Amino acid sequence: MALPVRTSFRHIRRFIQKFTISRRSLSSAVRPDIKEPLLLGRVFSGIQPTGVPHLGNYLGALGNWVSLQNQYSSVLYSIVDLHSITQPQDPKLLRTNILDMVASLLACGIDPRRAVLFQQSQVSEHAELSWILGCLTSMPRLRHLPQWKMKSKQKNEGSVGLYTYPVLQAADILLYKSTHVPVGEDQVQHLELAQDLARIFNHRFGDLFPEPRALLSSTRKIKSLREPSAKMSKSDPQTMATVFLTDSPDDVALKIRRSVTDFTSEVTFDPENRPGVSNLVSIHAAMATISVEEAVSQATGLDTGAYKQLVTEAVVQRLTPIRLQVERLRSDPAHLEHVLAQGASRARELAAPVLEEVKQRVGFC
């Protein structure tokens, strides 16, 4: 039966639109100048296995990780347990923390089908490349990096592992010929070392490594609920200062209710003069996926006490499905081990040929 003329044209129009979209998608895969998913390039990032992440981790890094796995053609996320032992660790607790981190990443939306999720120590090429790159790095270059300056001062002295921590970080990145690295502003200098080492190696042994570029998060740093001049931290001795992804709704409500604000009842966003209230506004905006201006607008007519309830609702609504999923995944450690094993296998497939090429160029084989 023949279609009416209008219907036929409508079908033709839809066909043309679909064909145009298909061509655009194909072009983005061939032409990196077209900023449409999937973008060409390789993203690498790592996170230490310090147990269940907190709200600052989620908003500052993990939410961005989930977005990046849907934007780039190749993405690797590593649980960097080699980095974690620069500080003393209880072995049993470390293993628990590794599995808790896997569960948390999966619950936040990291998809092992789209991103390679693996445990750093299960891919020995990281340590091997770190030694080679360490032989291309000067001691003064490392001495002025923030990781060493901050932590060695706290401990009065630091381990060799802490001193060479940034070299291992550079090896993590370069081992996969990563082109993009999501980092916070406090890690930019460490990424610059990776860029320098890529240039040094390429100059001495021939072009091999791309110079990785920083992907800076647009999310504001989430501050401590009890000390809004400092960032939210797992190591904060004040239990009311940090919201964890597995906190119950009652825990979240209590922590936000006791958060430090000031003596002005109106809600405004002024980080310099009103850090506590501004921190709540940042949390509300990020968790409700609205702008800071919209968050302040929603607070019109509310004092800070009533506004804390609004912030609590936004946090609980966002975290509840994550908390429930973490609990479910924790109950199946065999599945988490399987995810890590699969990820390590895929990571080694990418890492082994790069390290082999490095060895050949250096003269080992």
Side-chain angles (χ1 to χ4, degrees):
M1 180 177 176
L3 291 170
V5 173
R6 287 183 181 176
T7 306
S8 299
F9 283 151
R10 193 183 303 124
H11 279 72
I12 291 170
R13 221 172 12 246
R14 287 177 182 169
F15 175 79
I16 291 172
Q17 288 171 349
K18 288 181 179 179
F19 179 72
T20 303
I21 291 170
S22 297
R23 288 193 62 187
R24 286 175 183 167
S25 300
L26 180 61
S27 298
S28 68
V30 176
R31 294 176 54 196
D33 57 305
I34 296 179
K35 303 299 182 183
E36 291 183 18
L38 289 170
L39 297 175
L40 295 180
R42 175 166 290 158
V43 174
F44 177 92
S45 193
I47 187 167
Q48 288 201 35
T50 50
V52 173
H54 58 65
L55 192 60
N57 300 140
Y58 176 66
L59 294 176
L62 303 186
N64 188 38
W65 281 20
V66 174
S67 299
L68 290 172
Q69 73 179 356
N70 299 323
Q71 295 173 21
Y72 282 84
S73 57
S74 179
V75 178
L76 296 101
Y77 296 136
S78 180
I79 297 173
V80 288
D81 51 342
L82 293 176
H83 289 289
S84 70
I85 63 170
T86 57
Q87 304 295 328
Q89 299 285 338
D90 174 82
K92 289 184 179 178
L93 180 59
L94 177 58
R95 190 60 201 157
T96 298
N97 285 343
I98 290 169
L99 294 182
D100 278 352
M101 183 58 73
V102 180
S104 300
L105 294 178
L106 296 176
C108 287
I110 299 301
D111 185 348
R113 296 169 299 181
R114 299 181 183 181
V116 179
L117 176 60
F118 70 102
Q119 184 179 335
Q120 179 192 33
S121 64
Q122 293 181 358
V123 183
S124 61
E125 286 84 354
H126 286 258
E128 291 186 64
L129 182 58
S130 179
W131 175 260
I132 294 169
L133 295 179
C135 294
L136 303 177
T137 312
S138 71
M139 293 178 69
R141 180 74 172 85
L142 297 181
R143 198 176 297 129
H144 293 94
L145 289 172
Q147 184 82 14
W148 172 256
K149 289 171 70 175
M150 178 181 67
K151 292 196 174 180
S152 64
K153 190 177 296 183
Q154 291 173 352
K155 301 285 184 181
N156 295 322
E157 61 180 30
S159 67
V160 173
L162 181 64
Y163 189 73
T164 59
Y165 181 109
V167 181
L168 178 57
Q169 234 178 5
D172 296 336
I173 295 164
L174 299 183
L175 182 60
Y176 301 99
K177 297 187 177 181
S178 308
T179 57
H180 296 83
V181 183
V183 292
E185 292 180 2
D186 56 341
Q187 288 289 322
V188 168
Q189 284 183 279
H190 287 181
L191 180 60
E192 288 173 351
L193 176 65
Q195 294 167 337
D196 288 348
L197 285 171
R199 284 192 288 267
I200 291 168
F201 186 95
N202 291 345
H203 177 73
R204 191 171 298 184
F205 301 108
D207 286 348
L208 179 62
F209 298 119
E211 292 182 27
R213 294 165 52 191
L215 292 174
L216 291 172
S217 172
S218 59
T219 305
R220 294 179 181 274
K221 277 193 173 67
I222 301 303
K223 304 295 187 178
S224 162
L225 295 179
R226 298 299 300 164
E227 183 54 59
S229 62
K231 68 179 183 179
M232 188 172 283
S233 170
K234 291 179 184 177
S235 59
D236 197 315
Q238 300 187 75
T239 57
M240 293 291 108
T242 305
V243 174
F244 291 92
L245 299 189
T246 51
D247 279 350
S248 70
D250 287 344
D251 289 336
V252 172
L254 179 61
K255 290 177 179 181
I256 292 178
R257 187 164 64 247
R258 293 190 179 177
S259 63
V260 171
T261 50
D262 52 39
F263 296 107
T264 303
S265 62
E266 183 186 5
V267 176
T268 60
F269 187 74
D270 183 357
E272 185 173 342
N273 298 308
R274 305 190 70 196
V277 175
S278 300
N279 189 38
L280 291 178
V281 172
S282 293
I283 292 171
H284 178 208
M287 296 303 275
T289 60
I290 57 177
S291 67
V292 164
E293 292 75 18
E294 191 173 350
V296 172
S297 176
Q298 289 186 14
T300 302
L302 302 178
D303 60 19
T304 52
Y307 181 61
K308 286 179 179 181
Q309 179 59 34
L310 190 62
V311 177
T312 297
E313 291 171 2
V315 173
V316 169
Q317 183 176 2
R318 188 81 170 268
L319 291 190
T320 294
I322 295 175
R323 174 175 57 83
L324 295 175
Q325 182 72 335
V326 170
E327 291 172 359
R328 187 187 69 80
L329 289 165
R330 273 173 156 177
S331 68
D332 189 1
H335 171 68
L336 301 177
E337 297 277 7
H338 177 71
V339 169
L340 287 178
Q342 292 285 97
S345 176
R346 292 172 63 195
R348 281 193 295 268
E349 288 176 2
L350 296 171
V354 175
L355 184 65
E356 187 63 25
E357 179 68 21
V358 168
K359 288 179 175 180
Q360 289 179 1
R361 295 193 182 204
V362 170
F364 291 163
C365 55

